Each structure stands twice: as C-alpha cells, then as structure tokens.
Amino acid sequence: MSWKFDSVNPIFKQIVDELIIRIIKGDYKKGEKLASVRDLAVEAGVNPNTMQRALAEIELTGLVETKRGDGRYITEDSDIISKFKSEYTNKNAVQFLEKMKEFGFTKEEIIEYLEKIDI
Amino acid sequence: MSWKFDSVNPIFKQIVDELIIRIIKGDYKKGEKLASVRDLAVEAGVNPNTMQRALAEIELTGLVETKRGDGRYITEDSDIISKFKSEYTNKNAVQFLEKMKEFGFTKEEIIEYLEKIDI
Amino acid sequence: MSWKFDSVNPIFKQIVDELIIRIIKGDYKKGEKLASVRDLAVEAGVNPNTMQRALAEIELTGLVETKRGDGRYITEDSDIISKFKSEYTNKNAVQFLEKMKEFGFTKEEIIEYLEKIDI
Amino acid sequence: MSWKFDSVNPIFKQIVDELIIRIIKGDYKKGEKLASVRDLAVEAGVNPNTMQRALAEIELTGLVETKRGDGRYITEDSDIISKFKSEYTNKNAVQFLEKMKEFGFTKEEIIEYLEKIDI
DNA sequence: GTGGTCTAGACCACT
DNA sequence: GTGGTCTAGACCACC
C-alpha cells in the first residue's frame, strides 16, 4: 500500500483519515494486528513520532485498540465500524448538499448534475 | 450579514470562501463597491491585516477588482462569475463522488442516498 | 506559581491536571489570556513541545480556547467551568466511596473516619 | 472471580491492587494457598510474565509468602493484613480530603456532600 | 509575536 | 519487541 501526502494538511491527520478509510473499506479486517509504529512509519516515509501521534489520535475513535507492550489491533466490534461508516458518509452527503444549495441549486438539479458526471 | 469562523481553517481563507459564495449567490451585485478594508474588518470582527490578506487573495480570482485610490469593486464581467460558479460546483461534485466511491458506493446508490436526505 | 512533577505520571498529563485545578479554583480567571507556550514551558521547566501537548490536550475540555496567531484564553463560558468542577468533585467522591465500600466500610463509618482526620 | 483491566494503568499493578483488595476483604483467607502462576495467568487472561511480576511485587508487601518448591501462600500474620488495611484506607481518605480542599471545600461541606451521594 | 507540525534521537515501562 | 514520553531544534502559517 502506498502513502501520498498533500502539503496543506498535517501529515498525521492525513494518516488518520487514510487509516479510517482503509478500515471502513475493509482493507484492514476487524481484529487484525497492525504493523508496529516504527514499521508503519517506515512504510509511510514519516518520522515514528508522527505515526505515533496519528495512531494515538485514531485510538480516540474506538476503531483501533492498543494492547500495551504487544501492539495495536483493529477493533473486533463491527458495530463501531459500521456506525462510523454511516456517520462519515452521511456527514459528507449533507455537507455536499448544503454547499450546493447555498449556490442556489435544488436537490433535483444536483442529482441531475451528478448523473452527467462521468466518473 | 453575520460572520462565523471555525477554529480549524485559516480565518482569511474562510473569509475568501464566504465572499466568493456571496458574489456567486448574488448577495453582492456585479459592479457593486465593497466597504473599506477597515469597515469590513470591523464587520467581520477580525484584524484589518487578516481582512486585507483575504481581499488580496480574492483579487487573484478576478471576482474583485481594485481601483487605485478609489476602492474595491465586484467585477462587471458576468462571465467570470458564472465560470467561477460552474468550476466551484463541479469541483465539489467530483470530490464528493470520488470520496463516496472510495467507500464502495456506486453512483446509483449515492443518488438514491441523496434522495432520502431531507434537507 | 510553582510546578512540581512526580516521576510516575506523564509530565504533560500532570500539567493538564494542574491547569484544570487552577482554572476551577479560580487562579486563572475566565477570559484571561494565558502566557505563550514558550513562556509557560520555561516557567514549568519543560520542553516547549511538552507544554504544547498539554495545552492541546486541555483544549479538548473546552476550558481553554485558542485564537490562531494570537494566544490562548480561558473560556468565557462559566457554565463549562462550573460543570467541570462539579463533575470532577463528584467523580472523586464516588470513586472514594466505592473504594472504601470495597473494603467493607459503611458510609457512616467512612464519615466518622473522615471526621477524625486532622487536616 | 473475574478480572477486568483498564488500559491506562499497568496491568501488573492492577493485578497487585486487586489481590490486595481480595486479601483485605477476606476473599483469600490467611494461610490459603494461591494457584500457580500459570493458572492465575490463565484465569486473569494475561501473560504469565505479567502475573509473575505482579506476584513478585505483592511479595514485597508481606501479604504473600513464597515457600520454595511448594507455592505461594497468603500470610498467616493477621497483624500485617490489618495494618495494611488501615494504611491503605488512611491513605485513600487523606488523599481524598486534600484533593477536595484544593477545590475550596471545607471538611464539613465534604461530609455533607458525601451524605447526599446515593451509593 | 503566536500556535502548530515535523524530524531526530533518546529513554522508559510493559509484555 | 511493543507503545509512550520527552528533549532538542527547526520550519511554517497565521495574526
């Protein structure tokens, strides 16, 4: 897996977002053990401290759990994952709709617009 | 008009975005004269330097023009405004679609999802 | 004001706790501006990064707010402070009672015991 | 008996505390033989090394004694147990009072407060 | 000037 | 070996 970072957002935050997406998408299975901080840092090409901070941050979401002196694991609780997924997608959709409405589009126009996009 | 700023994004950038939206929505008419930097700063409750930077930034878009010794005016060129509007909305839409696809949704599912949202 | 740290708990956590107590006790008034990260770090005899982390942590409580490029301020919202105070004291009291009950004391015995302590 | 560990304090320390409480409460009778390190480790769901360390630690208190080639026993000396109990409770009470005083409560207020708590 | 982030390298406690 | 903390020093964006 590859890591690319833009230069406007904090790296540690980009790592958090990327990890969340990977978990939600199922790239990381529930209960799976993560690589060590040092290894992940090497893989992502960042300082171990930066990776450490990202991992500490994602811990707050409940998606990842730490076992002291052992390692980090994706949560076994699939409820948390699915809840997180629906929250995340819903937030995206609502934000998008609100932004577009602010520009004067109706929902019908927005949907019509999306259908035209070739992606 | 009221100004509210979140604490994660740069204030000057939030001002730029807000101004762009107001112009696109037509709150500020084309050719209209803007208030002075100082007055705008007071209205928004920010440091004049910050407002100054926001205005300098938005000038680069062409939506606002400076007449030396006179003041700042919304552009008369409605092409720029409409072009900007379509660019902005298209960027939003594509970004939204890409994000959702990353989560495994098809375009049909996304549209169906949007139709359910009551907004 | 003096800072003393024990060697078992993380320094940044001790700083957070100390700051919370100072705010709750009223040593720092609401709306008051805090010294800069660097100055506080010197005062506490720790690395600026450590102080930075402590301040970032306490921000999550809502007791302190950051104004970008300006500085940090104790919240104006006295509700947050008083709510935090009652939560904190209640947590302490309940934890204490539960611990003592686990040892077989009744509430009457605990209170009697406290009255004897000369403090 | 069940074992639950929080993730902030060292597991071995949580085990020590739990064992002390069980002895003081009388769950483990004086002179009683403890299960083997391995069995205790299985029961608590921890690594044998961790249980080993916890037992070595609690040995220092005198509450548990090792008979070489035989096993570990709760001390026969009830003085040690009761002395430990009073030390432990006193420490708790004093720490609690000091914390609350730091928040501006008088001893009378603290006691009044405790009486209101329904536990 | 302010806060925020990142790297580098060290040390510690826990399993 | 693991995660967690701390120091040191640099650089950046923002006000």
Side-chain angles (χ1 to χ4, degrees), chain C residues 10-12 38 45-47 49-50 53 68-69:
Chain C
I11 294 178
F12 83 90
R38 293 157 177 81
V46 301
N47 185 286
N49 278 324
T50 305
R53 178 166 181 192
R68 352 176 74 261

Side-chain angles (χ1 to χ4, degrees), chain B residues 3 5 11 39-47 51:
Chain B
W3 296 82
F5 304 113
I11 292 179
D39 289 351
L40 282 172
V42 170
E43 184 196 326
V46 301
N47 188 295
M51 183 56 75

Side-chain angles (χ1 to χ4, degrees), chain C residues 103-114:
Chain C
F103 279 57
F105 291 94
T106 67
K107 197 150 89 176
E108 289 68 35
E109 287 170 332
I110 296 170
I111 288 173
E112 198 180 348
Y113 190 86
L114 287 178

Side-chain angles (χ1 to χ4, degrees), chain B residues 13-31:
Chain B
K13 200 173 182 188
Q14 295 181 57
I15 294 175
V16 170
D17 288 342
E18 178 65 18
L19 287 176
I20 291 176
I21 289 173
R22 289 183 182 185
I23 295 170
I24 290 177
K25 286 173 65 181
D27 290 341
Y28 290 145
K29 310 295 182 195
K30 61 176 190 170

Side-chain angles (χ1 to χ4, degrees), chain B residues 4-75:
Chain B
K4 283 179 190 173
F5 304 113
D6 64 59
S7 58
V8 298
N9 297 303
I11 292 179
F12 85 90
K13 200 173 182 188
Q14 295 181 57
I15 294 175
V16 170
D17 288 342
E18 178 65 18
L19 287 176
I20 291 176
I21 289 173
R22 289 183 182 185
I23 295 170
I24 290 177
K25 286 173 65 181
D27 290 341
Y28 290 145
K29 310 295 182 195
K30 61 176 190 170
E32 182 178 339
K33 183 174 184 176
L34 284 176
S36 73
V37 175
R38 236 173 317 155
D39 289 351
L40 282 172
V42 170
E43 184 196 326
V46 301
N47 188 295
N49 286 325
T50 306
M51 183 56 75
Q52 172 68 33
R53 177 162 180 194
L55 291 170
E57 202 90 350
I58 202 175
E59 212 120 326
L60 302 176
T61 64
L63 290 170
V64 168
E65 288 164 359
T66 297
K67 294 187 182 165
R68 298 212 197 163
D70 180 0
R72 259 175 259 253
Y73 293 82
I74 307 298
T75 180

Side-chain angles (χ1 to χ4, degrees), chain B residues 34-117:
Chain B
L34 284 176
S36 73
V37 175
R38 236 173 317 155
D39 289 351
L40 282 172
V42 170
E43 184 196 326
V46 301
N47 188 295
N49 286 325
T50 306
M51 183 56 75
Q52 172 68 33
R53 177 162 180 194
L55 291 170
E57 202 90 350
I58 202 175
E59 212 120 326
L60 302 176
T61 64
L63 290 170
V64 168
E65 288 164 359
T66 297
K67 294 187 182 165
R68 298 212 197 163
D70 180 0
R72 259 175 259 253
Y73 293 82
I74 307 298
T75 180
E76 294 278 2
D77 185 347
S78 51
D79 279 357
I80 293 188
I81 297 178
S82 63
K83 176 180 158 246
F84 217 82
K85 177 173 180 176
S86 61
E87 270 181 12
Y88 214 82
T89 54
N90 193 59
K91 200 189 73 185
N92 269 342
V94 170
Q95 276 183 354
F96 170 67
L97 277 184
E98 281 176 346
K99 233 181 197 167
M100 296 295 273
K101 291 227 164 180
E102 209 167 13
F103 280 58
F105 291 94
T106 66
K107 197 152 86 175
E108 289 68 38
E109 287 170 332
I110 296 170
I111 288 173
E112 197 180 348
Y113 190 85
L114 286 178
E115 277 166 346
K116 281 190 201 144
I117 295 179

